[in-house]
Amino acid sequence: MPYKYYRGEDRKVLQAALRDRGFRSTEGRLTLLSVLKRAKSPLPVSAIAERLRSTLDEVNVYRALEALNEKGLLMRSDMRQGGARYEYVRSHHHHLICSDCGLTEDVEICADKRMEKKALDNSRAFAKIDTHALEFFGLCKACAPRLSYA
Amino acid sequence: MPYKYYRGEDRKVLQAALRDRGFRSTEGRLTLLSVLKRAKSPLPVSAIAERLRSTLDEVNVYRALEALNEKGLLMRSDMRQGGARYEYVRSHHHHLICSDCGLTEDVEICADKRMEKKALDNSRAFAKIDTHALEFFGLCKACAPRLSYA
DNA sequence: TTTAGTGCAAAATCTTTGCAGGGTA
DNA sequence: TACCCTGCAAAGATTTTGCACTAAA
């Protein structure tokens, strides 16, 4: 492969992460993880595929993202911008999303376990809750001045 | 049109709702709203277009959903199942979603204004927050027995 | 050696855009 | 009458599937 997206240090960590979940450690998936680990915000599939052009075919980017998401190594989030986005999972968190330009920022605010329990208690049809997604929509400081008078 | 999805009573309410937001009251949009108002859960675009086959072209279903969502008459939600879903807005609420069969249930639990404020206070890049989306993922009572031993 | 992972081709879905004509206000 | 809304055609974007080949364990 023409370019290393990761340093040696990182590589071992990612290899271990893959093997721990029963995956084989391949160049494509290592690079994919590395790209997402470095990203400052969730990336759309198109952007990920773009950066992996020489390493992993777009079709397999979809397959890999799906598999890694399934095992909790990545998190998929839908941000009302058409198409899924994925991010490397460091810790549980949520997002602020600008309705105008799409900028995202992480927030630590969380609908915690207490809230999950409350939701389950109020439910008729559900037996258990595993996780949740919380997104805040608003305007970032760059877009707000342009739009807030509307 | 071959079939009425709404009763006379409802029709007036929906007409008013449309006009209040600056829309024209057309058969297509009235029927669309009626379909969603009766639905027990958020519907994917394909299902909506299906039911409106004889009333509103799929292309215009997309246009109408987008417009009505924009004005708050409908709510769009992405439920990690590929493709957007829409529901008629009665009051602000959120969803429980079964990771296996896709069943959804409304919950009144909410990341309230206090939480939005907290998120904004912790943010560096955002100027305001308008709304939020909160989804709980788990297993419904029908699917849990089949899967929980896994 | 076994089989998960991959590339390539092709198709299925999902969504948007353009434009001329029809219906609402 | 003005122009929002619509149907139809077409294209663009997103995602999935099939299959033979490659490479990790």
Side-chain angles (χ1 to χ4, degrees):
Chain A
M1 56 296 335
Y3 200 92
K4 290 291 185 201
Y5 285 99
Y6 44 76
R7 319 242 182 71
E9 204 58 12
D10 233 24
R11 184 182 177 86
K12 285 171 195 159
V13 174
L14 297 179
Q15 286 184 324
L18 283 170
R19 296 201 176 109
D20 284 352
R21 326 264 163 163
F23 293 118
R24 288 181 182 177
S25 169
T26 67
E27 207 52 46
R29 293 184 172 187
L30 283 171
T31 310
L32 188 159
L33 283 176
S34 177
V35 164
L36 286 180
K37 193 172 180 189
R38 289 159 174 247
K40 297 169 300 306
S41 60
L43 297 180
V45 181
S46 56
I48 300 167
E50 167 88 18
R51 296 182 201 189
L52 294 175
R53 207 176 331 137
S54 56
T55 311
L56 192 61
D57 188 87
E58 182 175 25
V59 173
N60 294 307
V61 169
Y62 275 101
R63 292 197 255 232
L65 288 171
E66 166 66 16
L68 299 173
N69 173 65
E70 200 74 20
K71 293 289 186 184
L73 219 43
L74 302 180
M75 186 170 85
R76 170 182 180 152
S77 42
D78 296 289
M79 299 187 162
R80 300 181 177 178
Q81 306 192 61
R85 292 174 181 238
Y86 290 85
E87 67 187 309
Y88 186 82
V89 170
R90 278 167 234 279
S91 63
H92 183 79
H93 67 274
H94 299 296
H95 299 115
L96 279 163
I97 302 157
C98 179
S99 304
D100 193 52
C101 71
L103 175 79
T104 66
E105 182 180 351
D106 292 351
V107 277
E108 299 306 322
I109 308 292
C110 177
D112 56 25
K113 287 298 165 193
R114 195 160 26 97
M115 227 165 163
E116 286 189 0
K117 183 175 184 326
K118 204 171 152 196
L120 189 58
D121 289 345
N122 287 351
S123 159
R124 277 181 290 96
F126 276 71
K128 63 177 296 213
I129 292 178
D130 298 312
T131 187
H132 61 262
L134 173 58
E135 277 120 39
F136 295 95
F137 297 91
L139 293 175
C140 74
K141 287 175 179 170
C143 293
R146 258 186 302 116
L147 297 168
S148 52
Y149 56 82
Chain B
M1 57 295 339
Y3 199 92
K4 291 291 184 201
Y5 285 100
Y6 44 77
R7 320 240 183 72
E9 205 57 12
D10 233 23
R11 184 182 176 87
K12 285 172 194 158
V13 175
L14 297 179
Q15 286 184 325
L18 283 170
R19 295 199 177 111
D20 284 352
R21 325 264 163 161
F23 293 118
R24 289 183 179 175
S25 169
T26 66
E27 206 54 46
R29 293 185 171 185
L30 284 171
T31 309
L32 188 159
L33 284 176
S34 177
V35 164
L36 286 180
K37 194 172 178 187
R38 288 158 174 248
K40 298 169 300 305
S41 61
L43 296 181
V45 181
S46 56
I48 301 168
E50 166 89 18
R51 297 182 200 189
L52 294 175
R53 207 179 330 138
S54 56
T55 313
L56 192 63
D57 188 89
E58 182 175 24
V59 173
N60 294 306
V61 169
Y62 275 101
R63 291 198 256 234
L65 288 171
E66 165 67 15
L68 299 174
N69 173 65
E70 199 75 20
K71 292 290 186 185
L73 218 43
L74 302 179
M75 186 170 89
R76 171 182 179 152
S77 43
D78 297 288
M79 300 187 160
R80 299 181 176 178
Q81 306 192 61
R85 292 175 180 237
Y86 291 86
E87 67 187 309
Y88 186 81
V89 170
R90 278 167 236 278
S91 63
H92 183 79
H93 68 272
H94 299 294
H95 300 115
L96 279 164
I97 301 157
C98 179
S99 304
D100 193 54
C101 71
L103 174 80
T104 66
E105 181 181 351
D106 292 352
V107 276
E108 299 306 321
I109 308 294
C110 176
D112 56 25
K113 287 298 165 191
R114 193 161 28 94
M115 227 164 162
E116 286 189 0
K117 182 175 183 325
K118 202 170 154 197
L120 188 59
D121 290 345
N122 287 352
S123 160
R124 277 180 291 96
F126 277 71
K128 62 178 298 213
I129 292 178
D130 298 312
T131 186
H132 61 263
L134 174 58
E135 276 120 41
F136 295 95
F137 297 91
L139 293 175
C140 74
K141 289 176 178 170
C143 293
R146 257 186 303 118
L147 298 167
S148 52
Y149 56 81

